[in-house]
mmCIF file of all heavy atoms in Angstrom:
data_model
loop_
_atom_site.group_PDB
_atom_site.id
_atom_site.type_symbol
_atom_site.label_atom_id
_atom_site.label_comp_id
_atom_site.label_asym_id
_atom_site.label_seq_id
_atom_site.Cartn_x
_atom_site.Cartn_y
_atom_site.Cartn_z
ATOM 1 N N THR O 1 0.827 -1.182 0.000
ATOM 2 C CA THR O 1 0.000 0.000 0.000
ATOM 3 C C THR O 1 0.869 1.241 0.000
ATOM 4 O O THR O 1 1.685 1.440 0.878
ATOM 5 C CB THR O 1 -0.897 0.015 1.253
ATOM 6 O OG1 THR O 1 -1.657 -1.185 1.263
ATOM 7 C CG2 THR O 1 -1.814 1.201 1.255
ATOM 8 N N SER O 2 0.678 2.089 -0.974
ATOM 9 C CA SER O 2 1.552 3.247 -1.082
ATOM 10 C C SER O 2 1.150 4.320 -0.101
ATOM 11 O O SER O 2 -0.024 4.576 0.115
ATOM 12 C CB SER O 2 1.483 3.808 -2.499
ATOM 13 O OG SER O 2 2.213 5.008 -2.580
ATOM 14 N N THR O 3 2.124 4.983 0.488
ATOM 15 C CA THR O 3 1.874 6.157 1.300
ATOM 16 C C THR O 3 2.482 7.386 0.661
ATOM 17 O O THR O 3 2.748 8.374 1.311
ATOM 18 C CB THR O 3 2.454 5.969 2.711
ATOM 19 O OG1 THR O 3 3.863 5.804 2.596
ATOM 20 C CG2 THR O 3 1.851 4.767 3.382
ATOM 21 N N ARG O 4 2.693 7.337 -0.630
ATOM 22 C CA ARG O 4 3.266 8.462 -1.353
ATOM 23 C C ARG O 4 2.212 9.103 -2.254
ATOM 24 O O ARG O 4 1.097 8.632 -2.414
ATOM 25 C CB ARG O 4 4.448 7.989 -2.198
ATOM 26 C CG ARG O 4 5.610 7.590 -1.308
ATOM 27 C CD ARG O 4 6.272 8.847 -0.772
ATOM 28 N NE ARG O 4 7.378 8.455 0.063
ATOM 29 C CZ ARG O 4 7.348 8.467 1.369
ATOM 30 N NH1 ARG O 4 6.285 8.835 2.013
ATOM 31 N NH2 ARG O 4 8.395 8.112 2.071
ATOM 32 N N GLY O 5 2.605 10.140 -2.920
ATOM 33 C CA GLY O 5 1.661 10.916 -3.700
ATOM 34 C C GLY O 5 1.808 10.733 -5.180
ATOM 35 O O GLY O 5 2.225 9.709 -5.682
ATOM 36 N N ALA O 6 1.451 11.798 -5.921
ATOM 37 C CA ALA O 6 1.373 11.732 -7.368
ATOM 38 C C ALA O 6 2.753 11.800 -7.985
ATOM 39 O O ALA O 6 3.756 11.981 -7.336
ATOM 40 C CB ALA O 6 0.510 12.900 -7.867
ATOM 41 N N GLY O 7 2.776 11.655 -9.315
ATOM 42 C CA GLY O 7 4.019 11.831 -10.030
ATOM 43 C C GLY O 7 4.658 10.549 -10.489
ATOM 44 O O GLY O 7 5.653 10.567 -11.187
ATOM 45 N N LEU O 8 4.081 9.407 -10.122
ATOM 46 C CA LEU O 8 4.706 8.143 -10.469
ATOM 47 C C LEU O 8 4.233 7.613 -11.812
ATOM 48 O O LEU O 8 4.929 6.858 -12.471
ATOM 49 C CB LEU O 8 4.400 7.099 -9.386
ATOM 50 C CG LEU O 8 4.951 7.410 -7.996
ATOM 51 C CD1 LEU O 8 4.440 6.383 -7.002
ATOM 52 C CD2 LEU O 8 6.469 7.386 -8.016
ATOM 53 N N PHE O 9 3.022 7.992 -12.206
ATOM 54 C CA PHE O 9 2.452 7.350 -13.381
ATOM 55 C C PHE O 9 3.220 7.696 -14.643
ATOM 56 O O PHE O 9 3.516 6.837 -15.476
ATOM 57 C CB PHE O 9 0.980 7.744 -13.526
ATOM 58 C CG PHE O 9 0.323 7.119 -14.725
ATOM 59 C CD1 PHE O 9 0.238 5.743 -14.840
ATOM 60 C CD2 PHE O 9 -0.177 7.899 -15.744
ATOM 61 C CE1 PHE O 9 -0.357 5.164 -15.948
ATOM 62 C CE2 PHE O 9 -0.772 7.320 -16.851
ATOM 63 C CZ PHE O 9 -0.854 5.954 -16.947
ATOM 64 N N GLY O 10 3.587 8.963 -14.784
ATOM 65 C CA GLY O 10 4.333 9.333 -15.980
ATOM 66 C C GLY O 10 5.642 8.591 -16.076
ATOM 67 O O GLY O 10 6.025 8.094 -17.136
ATOM 68 N N HIS O 11 6.340 8.500 -14.965
ATOM 69 C CA HIS O 11 7.597 7.748 -14.944
ATOM 70 C C HIS O 11 7.350 6.298 -15.315
ATOM 71 O O HIS O 11 8.102 5.695 -16.080
ATOM 72 C CB HIS O 11 8.223 7.841 -13.550
ATOM 73 C CG HIS O 11 9.354 6.887 -13.352
ATOM 74 N ND1 HIS O 11 10.592 7.091 -13.893
ATOM 75 C CD2 HIS O 11 9.405 5.703 -12.685
ATOM 76 C CE1 HIS O 11 11.387 6.087 -13.560
ATOM 77 N NE2 HIS O 11 10.689 5.234 -12.822
ATOM 78 N N GLY O 12 6.233 5.738 -14.765
ATOM 79 C CA GLY O 12 5.943 4.330 -15.032
ATOM 80 C C GLY O 12 5.674 4.073 -16.499
ATOM 81 O O GLY O 12 6.091 3.039 -17.044
ATOM 82 N N MET O 13 4.980 4.979 -17.154
ATOM 83 C CA MET O 13 4.670 4.753 -18.566
ATOM 84 C C MET O 13 5.924 4.896 -19.421
ATOM 85 O O MET O 13 6.111 4.167 -20.381
ATOM 86 C CB MET O 13 3.590 5.734 -19.027
ATOM 87 C CG MET O 13 2.240 5.466 -18.357
ATOM 88 S SD MET O 13 1.602 3.771 -18.618
ATOM 89 C CE MET O 13 2.073 2.973 -17.083
ATOM 90 N N ARG O 14 6.824 5.821 -19.035
ATOM 91 C CA ARG O 14 8.065 5.957 -19.791
ATOM 92 C C ARG O 14 8.921 4.707 -19.650
ATOM 93 O O ARG O 14 9.670 4.349 -20.546
ATOM 94 C CB ARG O 14 8.841 7.192 -19.298
ATOM 95 C CG ARG O 14 8.214 8.510 -19.712
ATOM 96 C CD ARG O 14 9.180 9.657 -19.464
ATOM 97 N NE ARG O 14 9.535 9.789 -18.064
ATOM 98 C CZ ARG O 14 8.819 10.513 -17.202
ATOM 99 N NH1 ARG O 14 7.726 11.128 -17.599
ATOM 100 N NH2 ARG O 14 9.218 10.612 -15.949
ATOM 101 N N ALA O 15 8.817 4.072 -18.475
ATOM 102 C CA ALA O 15 9.630 2.874 -18.229
ATOM 103 C C ALA O 15 8.785 1.614 -18.324
ATOM 104 O O ALA O 15 9.132 0.586 -17.767
ATOM 105 C CB ALA O 15 10.272 2.973 -16.843
ATOM 106 N N GLY O 16 7.647 1.702 -19.026
ATOM 107 C CA GLY O 16 6.684 0.603 -19.038
ATOM 108 C C GLY O 16 7.259 -0.727 -19.476
ATOM 109 O O GLY O 16 7.032 -1.758 -18.846
ATOM 110 N N ARG O 17 8.001 -0.734 -20.586
ATOM 111 C CA ARG O 17 8.530 -2.005 -21.073
ATOM 112 C C ARG O 17 9.521 -2.610 -20.086
ATOM 113 O O ARG O 17 9.497 -3.799 -19.817
ATOM 114 C CB ARG O 17 9.208 -1.798 -22.430
ATOM 115 C CG ARG O 17 8.219 -1.454 -23.535
ATOM 116 C CD ARG O 17 8.925 -1.359 -24.884
ATOM 117 N NE ARG O 17 7.992 -1.045 -25.940
ATOM 118 C CZ ARG O 17 8.342 -0.895 -27.218
ATOM 119 N NH1 ARG O 17 9.615 -1.032 -27.573
ATOM 120 N NH2 ARG O 17 7.438 -0.601 -28.122
ATOM 121 N N TYR O 18 10.374 -1.752 -19.535
ATOM 122 C CA TYR O 18 11.332 -2.263 -18.544
ATOM 123 C C TYR O 18 10.603 -2.802 -17.322
ATOM 124 O O TYR O 18 10.938 -3.866 -16.806
ATOM 125 C CB TYR O 18 12.277 -1.157 -18.125
ATOM 126 C CG TYR O 18 13.083 -1.506 -16.905
ATOM 127 C CD1 TYR O 18 14.163 -2.386 -16.987
ATOM 128 C CD2 TYR O 18 12.744 -0.991 -15.652
ATOM 129 C CE1 TYR O 18 14.902 -2.719 -15.864
ATOM 130 C CE2 TYR O 18 13.474 -1.332 -14.529
ATOM 131 C CZ TYR O 18 14.548 -2.194 -14.639
ATOM 132 O OH TYR O 18 15.258 -2.522 -13.523
ATOM 133 N N ALA O 19 9.569 -2.065 -16.858
ATOM 134 C CA ALA O 19 8.834 -2.488 -15.668
ATOM 135 C C ALA O 19 8.187 -3.842 -15.886
ATOM 136 O O ALA O 19 8.249 -4.730 -15.030
ATOM 137 C CB ALA O 19 7.767 -1.444 -15.314
ATOM 138 N N LEU O 20 7.546 -4.033 -17.043
ATOM 139 C CA LEU O 20 6.878 -5.299 -17.306
ATOM 140 C C LEU O 20 7.879 -6.440 -17.408
ATOM 141 O O LEU O 20 7.648 -7.541 -16.892
ATOM 142 C CB LEU O 20 6.058 -5.196 -18.598
ATOM 143 C CG LEU O 20 5.208 -6.419 -18.948
ATOM 144 C CD1 LEU O 20 4.293 -6.765 -17.785
ATOM 145 C CD2 LEU O 20 4.390 -6.143 -20.205
ATOM 146 N N THR O 21 9.018 -6.182 -18.038
ATOM 147 C CA THR O 21 10.059 -7.215 -18.095
ATOM 148 C C THR O 21 10.516 -7.596 -16.701
ATOM 149 O O THR O 21 10.715 -8.771 -16.391
ATOM 150 C CB THR O 21 11.255 -6.711 -18.921
ATOM 151 O OG1 THR O 21 10.813 -6.396 -20.232
ATOM 152 C CG2 THR O 21 12.351 -7.764 -18.987
ATOM 153 N N LEU O 22 10.672 -6.582 -15.832
ATOM 154 C CA LEU O 22 11.101 -6.850 -14.462
ATOM 155 C C LEU O 22 10.070 -7.672 -13.713
ATOM 156 O O LEU O 22 10.418 -8.596 -12.981
ATOM 157 C CB LEU O 22 11.349 -5.523 -13.736
ATOM 158 C CG LEU O 22 11.805 -5.613 -12.270
ATOM 159 C CD1 LEU O 22 13.098 -6.403 -12.182
ATOM 160 C CD2 LEU O 22 11.977 -4.222 -11.689
ATOM 161 N N VAL O 23 8.788 -7.364 -13.897
ATOM 162 C CA VAL O 23 7.738 -8.139 -13.242
ATOM 163 C C VAL O 23 7.792 -9.598 -13.663
ATOM 164 O O VAL O 23 7.777 -10.507 -12.833
ATOM 165 C CB VAL O 23 6.345 -7.553 -13.567
ATOM 166 C CG1 VAL O 23 5.254 -8.500 -13.106
ATOM 167 C CG2 VAL O 23 6.170 -6.208 -12.901
ATOM 168 N N VAL O 24 7.857 -9.829 -14.955
ATOM 169 C CA VAL O 24 7.892 -11.204 -15.449
ATOM 170 C C VAL O 24 9.103 -11.929 -14.888
ATOM 171 O O VAL O 24 9.030 -13.087 -14.456
ATOM 172 C CB VAL O 24 7.910 -11.216 -16.987
ATOM 173 C CG1 VAL O 24 8.101 -12.631 -17.497
ATOM 174 C CG2 VAL O 24 6.606 -10.634 -17.532
ATOM 175 N N CYS O 25 10.256 -11.238 -14.836
ATOM 176 C CA CYS O 25 11.472 -11.851 -14.300
ATOM 177 C C CYS O 25 11.311 -12.187 -12.824
ATOM 178 O O CYS O 25 11.690 -13.263 -12.376
ATOM 179 C CB CYS O 25 12.647 -10.908 -14.500
ATOM 180 S SG CYS O 25 14.246 -11.605 -14.034
ATOM 181 N N LEU O 26 10.704 -11.271 -12.065
ATOM 182 C CA LEU O 26 10.517 -11.519 -10.642
ATOM 183 C C LEU O 26 9.584 -12.686 -10.387
ATOM 184 O O LEU O 26 9.838 -13.544 -9.550
ATOM 185 C CB LEU O 26 9.932 -10.263 -9.974
ATOM 186 C CG LEU O 26 10.899 -9.118 -9.684
ATOM 187 C CD1 LEU O 26 10.112 -7.877 -9.324
ATOM 188 C CD2 LEU O 26 11.833 -9.502 -8.554
ATOM 189 N N LEU O 27 8.484 -12.733 -11.119
ATOM 190 C CA LEU O 27 7.463 -13.734 -10.828
ATOM 191 C C LEU O 27 7.830 -15.094 -11.386
ATOM 192 O O LEU O 27 7.511 -16.124 -10.799
ATOM 193 C CB LEU O 27 6.113 -13.276 -11.392
ATOM 194 C CG LEU O 27 5.660 -11.891 -10.909
ATOM 195 C CD1 LEU O 27 4.255 -11.611 -11.386
ATOM 196 C CD2 LEU O 27 5.737 -11.806 -9.393
ATOM 197 N N ALA O 28 8.497 -15.116 -12.507
ATOM 198 C CA ALA O 28 8.882 -16.395 -13.096
ATOM 199 C C ALA O 28 10.284 -16.808 -12.684
ATOM 200 O O ALA O 28 10.808 -17.794 -13.159
ATOM 201 C CB ALA O 28 8.808 -16.308 -14.622
ATOM 202 N N ALA O 29 10.891 -16.025 -11.776
ATOM 203 C CA ALA O 29 12.243 -16.306 -11.271
ATOM 204 C C ALA O 29 13.247 -16.386 -12.409
ATOM 205 O O ALA O 29 14.219 -17.124 -12.375
ATOM 206 C CB ALA O 29 12.269 -17.589 -10.446
ATOM 207 N N CYS O 30 13.015 -15.583 -13.467
ATOM 208 C CA CYS O 30 13.959 -15.458 -14.579
ATOM 209 C C CYS O 30 14.361 -16.820 -15.148
ATOM 210 O O CYS O 30 15.513 -17.221 -15.093
ATOM 211 C CB CYS O 30 15.185 -14.668 -14.139
ATOM 212 S SG CYS O 30 14.813 -12.943 -13.789
#
């Protein structure tokens, strides 16, 4: 649960492909 504010979404979309790759790597243990 986040306790921070706005400003993350734009960063997330710019790094979207990297973020999704990282998620898949984390969950599938690479």
Side-chain angles (χ1 to χ4, degrees):
T1 303
S2 174
T3 62
R4 291 285 180 257
L8 297 174
F9 180 61
H11 168 76
M13 293 303 99
R14 288 193 299 272
R17 292 184 179 180
Y18 167 76
L20 185 55
T21 301
L22 180 59
V23 169
V24 174
C25 186
L26 282 167
L27 305 187
C30 293

